[in-house]
Amino acid sequence: MRLRIDADLRYAMSEPVDVLLMIEAAELPDQTPIDDRLAIDGIGPLRAIAGEDGVGRRRWMRADGDFHAHYQAVVEVDRRPVTIDELPITPRRELPPEVIPYLWPSRYCEADRFEAFVAREFPGDNHGRKILAMARWIREHLDYRPGSTDVRTTAVDVFVSRQGVCRDFAHLLASLARAAGVPARLASAYAWRLDPPDFHAVVEIWLAGDWYLVDPTELAPLDGLVRIAIGRDATDIAFMTIFGAAELIEQTIRVERIDGD
């Protein structure tokens, strides 16, 4: 599948601020940026650094006044559907060192607070079916409601309020998986057929020696996702972190398939 991505961000900075931007498609085994261009106005010098675990690319900059970032890309996605039902959960003692941090609680994913709930609600079964059951529970018990949460909302908050947006659904699934001893990390992505178009948050689960995508919202097909960043939670995958005051003027995201339907 070949996808064309167009992201346009406009902000007004009331004072000079440091900005960490991460909106470029990552190069990964199942997705290849063929042509991508990032143009930014209203900034000082750029400095590129690698994203978490070397996935994707962040850019440091100094911004003041009107800020405009425009990203365009064509990305080849070669991701075949995988059924994770029968994939085994790796015992904790056999996990490779690089995935162990994704077992731990984090700022937005208080996994330790869900251990009793997970043991009671999802007992037994050491296969991917357990993760799919968690995702199904989230869809059945949470309302997808834009504007119902904010940057302070954690997985526990969402569990109590039973409402949220994609990042909240992802935080809760990652928390439940970690509570069951399964490494889980968040991924930010561009998503084909997401309505309304926006940055999307999904989860990657470690099963049988590899990471597998799971979208607890089921709002977009997995084979139409283009990952930008991965991390422990929304702190690590934010498309834009502004260290100071800023006003959002306009933001548009477009993802279209250009090799047929």
Side-chain angles (χ1 to χ4, degrees):
M1 181 186 299
R2 186 165 291 190
L3 300 173
R4 178 184 289 123
I5 295 165
D6 192 295
D8 198 78
L9 284 65
R10 296 177 184 271
Y11 283 77
M13 314 301 189
S14 59
E15 59 185 11
V17 295
D18 290 323
V19 176
L20 189 57
L21 187 70
M22 197 166 193
I23 61 174
E24 298 166 84
E27 184 163 356
L28 294 164
D30 60 356
Q31 61 180 57
T32 304
I34 299 171
D35 179 31
D36 64 341
R37 303 173 186 178
L38 176 64
I40 309 177
D41 299 324
I43 63 166
L46 292 175
R47 183 167 72 90
I49 59 173
E52 292 292 318
D53 290 351
V55 175
R57 180 170 54 200
R58 293 186 173 103
R59 293 188 185 268
W60 274 112
M61 63 201 73
R62 186 72 169 168
D64 188 13
D66 294 334
F67 172 90
H68 178 210
H70 188 202
Y71 176 66
Q72 293 178 301
V74 174
V75 181
E76 187 74 38
V77 181
D78 184 13
R79 185 177 305 122
R80 292 169 178 79
V82 176
T83 301
I84 68 171
D85 304 54
E86 300 298 329
L87 296 179
I89 293 173
T90 305
R92 291 185 185 91
R93 63 188 179 278
E94 297 177 14
L95 291 170
E98 64 269 18
V99 308
I100 292 174
Y102 297 106
L103 280 176
W104 298 332
S106 59
R107 176 182 176 184
Y108 292 106
C109 298
E110 311 101 318
D112 53 326
R113 299 185 63 182
F114 290 99
E115 290 174 358
F117 171 77
V118 166
R120 183 179 67 252
E121 192 72 23
F122 308 101
D125 197 349
N126 290 314
H127 294 82
R129 284 186 298 270
K130 176 177 287 193
I131 302 301
L132 296 179
M134 292 174 179
R136 185 168 57 251
W137 187 94
I138 291 171
R139 286 192 298 276
E140 291 174 353
H141 291 83
L142 267 63
D143 294 325
Y144 192 91
R145 188 167 296 168
S148 60
T149 58
D150 57 31
V151 296
R152 297 166 295 181
T153 305
T154 70
V156 168
D157 297 328
V158 172
F159 184 79
V160 172
S161 68
R162 300 297 169 94
Q163 59 186 354
V165 293
C166 62
R167 83 171 211 159
D168 304 305
F169 279 55
H171 281 153
L172 185 52
L173 178 58
S175 298
L176 298 182
R178 294 176 193 175
V182 183
R185 65 189 189 187
L186 262 68
S188 59
Y190 294 105
W192 177 54
R193 288 185 172 173
L194 181 66
D195 185 23
D198 203 347
F199 292 106
H200 196 38
V202 295
V203 181
E204 289 189 331
I205 301 292
W206 181 265
L207 296 168
D210 206 351
W211 292 105
Y212 293 90
L213 282 165
V214 179
D215 182 359
T217 70
E218 289 194 342
L219 291 176
L222 295 180
D223 60 353
L225 295 177
V226 174
R227 300 194 298 293
I228 303 168
I230 56 90
R232 296 160 300 170
D233 54 33
T235 305
D236 296 334
I237 67 169
F239 70 89
M240 189 175 184
T241 304
I242 301 171
F243 295 85
E247 178 186 359
L248 171 63
I249 303 301
E250 185 180 22
Q251 177 176 299
T252 59
I253 307 294
R254 290 185 292 274
V255 180
E256 60 177 331
R257 185 171 181 176
I258 58 175
D259 64 341
D261 297 325

